[in-house]
């Protein structure tokens, strides 16, 4: 027991004990305080006085290394400057902490500080309760009652007319209680603004400031705002709002997956930036429901018409497919094989390669447009409801980053403000951009190299799989289902997924490093640059293998006797006789499903294990001695880039369900199931496993909107090419209308027509199989070439050129039709709903009227009190401005 650990000072009336009884008094005092601590919970969000709210917490470990004195000086200077800025601090000694090592500095922003920086940050506050009637209720709302949340949860506070805060007009605002007028999220945003700009001294001739630098150099170990209570139970303090508990019970539990999201409460607790992410994710999930239903219908169509598919019937028929001898799948070691051995795979390929594929590809092109246009309308409504219509980006995103101010020592005059501000010389920018661009190109080249390595793997093991399955008797029962092509595709897809994950992990660190090196001027520039770097890399990383299977595999094979080789060593892959679409489906399923499963493990299980391990010591102590700041300190850090990774994950998923959806109609269903889980996983981890993030404003999803628009346009092109070149739809249609010889069954004979003939005697020694026990003289291969007895031996037939022309015509027609429909739909749907436009105008008018009336009243008071500066002309001008406002 030491004197410093006494948390309560002696009262003035308490007399000091006589020297003889000092020891006895110390023992009694220790016992008294321990007993009082048993009844006094430290799970509080207030200072020791129980009045001042803790708006932010800093923590540090007093380690006695060679940097100790320097860190101590930094902390003293920083905390002294915080107090000079008006903040109030209270320090918890390390002996009060759970491990006896961590100091906690609690920060409170008094009223004077809050109103000063509320004006600086242009924070909007209530001036009058909203009297605009709510929208007329939908008659079908009664059907949605099971999905609704209680009104108090959905709308935790009344709707107000708001105006930017001004210290000179405090009586204009609805200030009932100074301690609760600014919400906790507003308070922590104001304190964070001060922390990021507070200086702590000069080092190496440069002015140093900002909590981020102090965290990076180890002066402080953490900086975070507090959650308002424990998530599993309400706080005992009646002054606590218990919003975290409400969010957990009504939103963050998986059993509430069918309920709507309490977006207003999310915005109130976490800020607009996180609120708009969950609004977008929820809207995206709702729209996926329609795409998933149509995708399932298309899949069921393929399932129910499997028995009617003439192509698979002919392949499976022993009299047709059983009599067609196919050329070897690899050089020398592979044998000739019969077409009907691919019977099962050809039947399954019909599930995804049928007429419904074309319909679904066109539908998804229109669905993407509907999704983006309706999201703009939803976003416009949120901007109105969350007071973001006149959101001043300059105050939030366009302000200079503290890192930019610290690293740029040169200054020049701003032509707008006429003030001196730091800037980065053009030569320095050019050098940094060159290094950054070279680094990005290097990593993109590395992805392409890894993809080529996977292709080489496919080519190398393809021959091994083909030889193994033909010569191993134990694999004969499954040889029909597991063809060499499918076995190669599955193993290569799994290998590709592992490489993707490894490259992602490394590149994330590189992208942040090179973005920091560029020293972006504003927060918006920083986020946009990092977003483009990460998205470019992820785009190439995740989609390159799918692009290979969709547009390159089986397209440059050559023909028997003149095969095409990679690096003059490995023979290029051939598609399955039923087409490459089933392999693209396999690739897409493995990468997409694998990414979703790994993402959920990374987001939910890893933070839970880390927190469980970090709290293992605290579980052995009484709960009332485990303070609120220590509980939050033991949680994981959400970080400034937390939302960035969430958006990136969803945008990559969006690419899978749009760019390649023609090959896998069930992709939207997989995405829908993942997103239902994703919403609850994200909400659960944010509410229970992470420290409370610093609130931030945002009026849109930012640069992600432009990325989604770009992918929507690209998806039309990729799906048109998939239908034309990867599926067998166009060759079948050409045969149906131009080459069919049977009126009763137009598609009969298609398989025989699509396979060309090769004379085995024409095989060069490099390709010729070692054995031909049955003495075959001819074999078949997938192409449209003249037979060996024709004068144009092994050259492309006219049917090949007809099919190619039909494919190109189809691409042009489909693209133009879908683009015309897309642009027409986008033109028909206004970005802002009519009722929202009317409400915005009404609110602006009423707000201006209230402000003008206030100014008029103030002017009248000044005139009544004989203020000489208040002239009659000023009074008339103010009344005239009110009339002009009404007219407008």
């Amino acid at each position: 027991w030491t004197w410093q650990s006494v948390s309560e000072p002696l009262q003035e009336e308490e007399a000091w004990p006589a020297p003889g009884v000092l020891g006895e008094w110390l023992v009694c005092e220790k016992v008294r305080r321990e007993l009082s601590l048993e009844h006094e919970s430290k799970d509080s969000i207030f200072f020791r006085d129980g009045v001042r709210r803790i708006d932010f917490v800093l923590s540090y470990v007093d380690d006695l290394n060679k940097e100790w004195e320097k860190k101590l000086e930094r902390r003293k200077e920083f905390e002294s400057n915080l107090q000079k800025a008006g903040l109030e601090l209270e320090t918890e000694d390390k002996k009060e902490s759970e491990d006896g090592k961590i100091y906690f500095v609690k920060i409170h922003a008094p009223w004077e500080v809050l109103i000063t920086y509320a004006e600086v940050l242009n924070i909007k506050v209530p001036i009058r309760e909203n009297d605009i009637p709510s929208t007329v209720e939908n008659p079908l709302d009664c059907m949605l009652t099971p999905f609704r949340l209680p009104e108090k949860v959905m709308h935790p506070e009344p709707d107000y007319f708001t105006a930017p805060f001004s210290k000179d007009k405090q009586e204009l605002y609805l200030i009932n209680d100074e301690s609760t007028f600014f919400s906790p999220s507003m308070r922590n945003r104001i304190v964070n603004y001060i922390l990021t700009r507070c200086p702590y001294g000069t080092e190496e001739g440069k002015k140093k400031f900002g909590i981020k630098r102090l965290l990076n150099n180890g002066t402080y170990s953490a900086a975070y705002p507090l959650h308002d209570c424990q998530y599993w139970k309400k706080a005992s303090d009646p002054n606590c709002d218990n919003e975290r508990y409400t969010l957990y019970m009504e939103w963050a539990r998986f059993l509430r997956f069918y309920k709507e999201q309490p977006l207003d409460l999310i915005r109130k607790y976490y800020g607009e930036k996180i609120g708009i992410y969950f609004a977008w994710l929820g809207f995206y999930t709702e729209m996926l429901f329609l795409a998933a239903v149509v995708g399932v219908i298309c899949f069921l169509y393929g399932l129910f018409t499997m028995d009617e598919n003439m192509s698979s019937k002919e392949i499976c028929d022993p009299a047709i497919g059983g009599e067609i001898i196919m050329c070897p799948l690899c050089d020398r070691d592979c044998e000739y094989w019969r077409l009907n051995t691919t019977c099962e795979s050809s039947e399954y390929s019909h599930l995804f390669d049928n007429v419904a594929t074309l319909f679904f590809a066109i539908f998804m092109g229109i669905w993407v447009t509907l999704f983006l246009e309706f999201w703009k309308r939803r976003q416009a409504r949120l901007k109105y409801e969350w007071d973001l219509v006149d959101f001043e980006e300059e105050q939030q995103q366009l302000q200079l980053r503290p890192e930019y101010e610290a690293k740029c020592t040169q200054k020049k005059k701003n032509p707008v403000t006429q003030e001196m501000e730091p800037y980065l010389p053009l030569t320095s920018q050019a050098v940094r951009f060159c290094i950054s661009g070279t680094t990005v190109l290097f990593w993109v080249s590395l992805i392409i190299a890894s993809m080529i390595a996977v292709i080489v793997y496919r080519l190398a093991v393809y021959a091994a799989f083909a030889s193994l399955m033909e010569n191993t008797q134990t694999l004969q029962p499954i040889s029909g289902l597991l063809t060499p092509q499918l076995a190669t595709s599955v193993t290569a897809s799994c290998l590709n997924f592992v490489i993707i994950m490894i490259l992602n992990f490394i590149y994330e660190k590189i992208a942040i490093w090179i973005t920091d090196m560029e020293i972006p001027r504003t927060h918006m520039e920083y986020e946009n640059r990092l977003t483009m770097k990460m998205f470019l890399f992820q785009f190439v990383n995740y989609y390159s293998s799918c692009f290979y299977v969709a547009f390159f595999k089986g397209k440059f094979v050559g023909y028997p006797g003149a095969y095409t080789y990679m690096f003059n060593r490995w023979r290029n892959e051939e598609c399955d006789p039923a087409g490459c679409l089933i392999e693209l489906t396999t690739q897409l399923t493995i990468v997409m499903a694998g990414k979703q499963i790994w993402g959920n493990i990374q987001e939910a299980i890893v933070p839970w294990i880390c927190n469980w391990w970090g709290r293992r010591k605290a579980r052995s102590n009484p709960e009332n001695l485990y303070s609120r700041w220590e509980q939050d300190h033991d949680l994981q850090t959400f970080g400034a880039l937390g939302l960035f990774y969430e958006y990136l994950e969803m945008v990559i998923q969006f690419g899978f369900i749009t760019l390649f959806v023609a090959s896998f109609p069930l992709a939207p269903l997989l995405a829908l199931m993942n997103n239902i889980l994703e919403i609850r996983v994200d909400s659960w981890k944010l509410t229970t496993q992470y420290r409370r993030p610093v609130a931030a404003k945002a009026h849109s999803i930012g640069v992600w909107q432009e990325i989604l628009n770009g992918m929507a346009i690209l998806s039309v092109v990729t799906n048109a090419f998939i239908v034309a070149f990867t599926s067998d739809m166009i060759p079948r249609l050409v045969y149906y209308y131009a080459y069919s010889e049977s009126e009763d069954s137009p598609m009969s004979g298609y398989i025989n027509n699509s396979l060309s003939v090769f004379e085995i005697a024409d095989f060069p020694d490099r390709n010729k199989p070692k054995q031909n026990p049955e003495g075959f003289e001819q074999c078949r291969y997938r192409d449209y070439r003249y037979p060996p007895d024709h004068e144009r031996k092994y050259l492309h037939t006219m049917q090949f050129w007809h099919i190619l022309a039909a494919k190109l015509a189809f691409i042009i027609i489909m693209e133009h039709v879908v683009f015309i429909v897309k642009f027409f739909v986008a033109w028909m749907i206004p970005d802002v709903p009519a009722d929202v436009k009317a409400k915005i105008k009404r609110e602006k008018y009423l707000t201006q009227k209230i402000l003008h009336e206030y100014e008029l009243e103030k002017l009248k008071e000044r005139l009544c009190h004989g203020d000489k500066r208040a002239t009659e002309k000023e009074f008339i001008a103010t009344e005239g401005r009110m009339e002009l406002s009404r007219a407008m």
Side-chain angles (χ1 to χ4, degrees), residues 343 438 542 602 711 730 760:
C343 174
T438 305
Y542 278 107
Q602 209 172 16
M711 294 181 76
I730 303 301
I760 292 176

Side-chain angles (χ1 to χ4, degrees), residues 227-254:
H227 283 294
D228 63 354
C229 66
Q230 293 172 336
Y231 68 85
W232 65 87
K233 69 174 184 178
K234 292 184 177 181
S236 56
D237 191 337
N239 295 321
C240 181
D241 294 331
N242 296 298
E243 291 174 347
R244 185 190 189 193
Y245 170 79
T246 304
L247 285 170
Y248 174 71
M249 297 301 294
E250 301 290 348
W251 177 53
R253 295 189 300 164
F254 182 72

Side-chain angles (χ1 to χ4, degrees), residues 161 424 463 593 601 606:
F161 292 137
L424 194 63
I601 291 173
V606 173

